[in-house]
Amino acid sequence: GRPKPLLYQHMARYFARQKLDKESINTVYSHAANPMVTTRSYMLMEPIAISIDPYWLRQGIVRTLSPEEEHYGILLNDSGIVPSNTMVAIVNPETLTICPSNVVGEIWVSSDSNATTMFQLDDVAHEKRFEATIAGNDPNIKYMRTGDFGFLWNVRRRVDNRMMQPMMLEEGQCLYVLGSANETIVRNGLIYFPIDVELSIERCHPAIPSGGR
């Protein structure tokens, strides 16, 4: 699912008392049909946080906010980068075409680590789930459809780690997971994620406790 930035910060503070570096806590994307779609093990940095505009997210578009606007946005942590033996595509689930770089879509995975099928799937369901192909692309490349929404984002961040001298820049594409397609709420063509609705309710009044507690 979607990494929780507040949970990460809580864990980092807790483990800091045990002298564990913040970079040792890694949030990655795992799926029932592939336990390690992404990795952070050698990134040697904290999660890369971006704040995105909720207005545009409802329309399926990713627009990052400036530092002055961040408190209005939805804070996301990355789920790591895609290993060399894996291909991840962000696909429009209706047209089965690749989404532009700033558009939310379903996460499709092509990897030798994918499960070959699931129990009691008929042939039609198996082909749709585990042998999906992208319209207009090589039909020999088969993808597993995760049923989760997300996007790939180009990142560039300075790495300040005592194990790496001199200081380096980390560049690449990170996967950002938004949530399960089955849990999204679609109204008037706009997409809402339950976790964002809950957060909005919590923010609307100080008497409403965080996490429903």
Side-chain angles (χ1 to χ4, degrees), residues 15-168:
F15 285 114
R17 289 176 286 184
Q18 317 302 324
K19 309 300 181 184
L20 183 69
D21 293 334
K22 290 184 289 186
E23 296 84 358
S24 301
I25 306 170
N26 292 311
T27 52
V28 298
Y29 177 53
S30 181
H31 189 272
N34 187 332
M36 198 187 81
V37 177
T38 60
T39 181
R40 293 192 103 260
S41 59
Y42 53 86
M43 291 178 68
L44 300 175
M45 62 168 63
E46 299 175 53
I48 301 173
I50 60 173
S51 181
I52 61 175
D53 190 326
Y55 173 81
W56 285 100
L57 181 62
R58 288 181 301 180
Q59 301 175 62
I61 298 173
V62 180
R63 174 185 177 270
T64 56
L65 295 174
S66 64
E68 296 78 18
E69 301 173 300
E70 282 184 352
H71 58 286
Y72 294 111
I74 295 172
L75 183 65
L76 298 177
N77 278 357
D78 75 283
S79 293
I81 58 178
V82 182
S84 58
N85 64 337
T86 300
M87 287 194 300
V88 166
I90 306 300
V91 181
N92 184 314
E94 296 180 2
T95 64
L96 305 184
T97 57
I98 293 287
C99 293
S101 59
N102 65 330
V103 174
V104 172
E106 185 182 3
I107 302 169
W108 288 22
V109 181
S110 177
S111 171
D112 291 338
S113 299
N114 287 349
T116 55
T117 191
M118 284 188 172
F119 185 59
Q120 290 187 334
L121 280 185
D122 59 35
D123 291 343
V124 174
H126 164 81
E127 185 174 355
K128 180 179 179 181
R129 180 79 178 271
F130 288 93
E131 296 187 14
T133 57
I134 297 173
N137 282 29
D138 187 349
N140 295 315
I141 301 178
K142 307 294 184 180
Y143 289 86
M144 179 267 295
R145 298 182 62 167
T146 65
D148 293 327
F149 280 140
F151 58 94
L152 291 167
W153 197 254
N154 292 323
V155 296
R156 184 179 184 185
R157 185 174 180 182
R158 190 179 298 276
V159 182
D160 186 8
N161 190 289
R162 62 176 177 268
M163 297 173 62
M164 304 179 76
Q165 295 295 335
M167 195 176 297
M168 298 177 60

Side-chain angles (χ1 to χ4, degrees), residues 193-204 208-209 211:
F193 295 91
I195 187 172
D196 300 324
V197 175
E198 293 166 2
L199 182 60
S200 296
I201 294 172
E202 291 172 2
R203 286 176 171 177
C204 73
I208 299 177

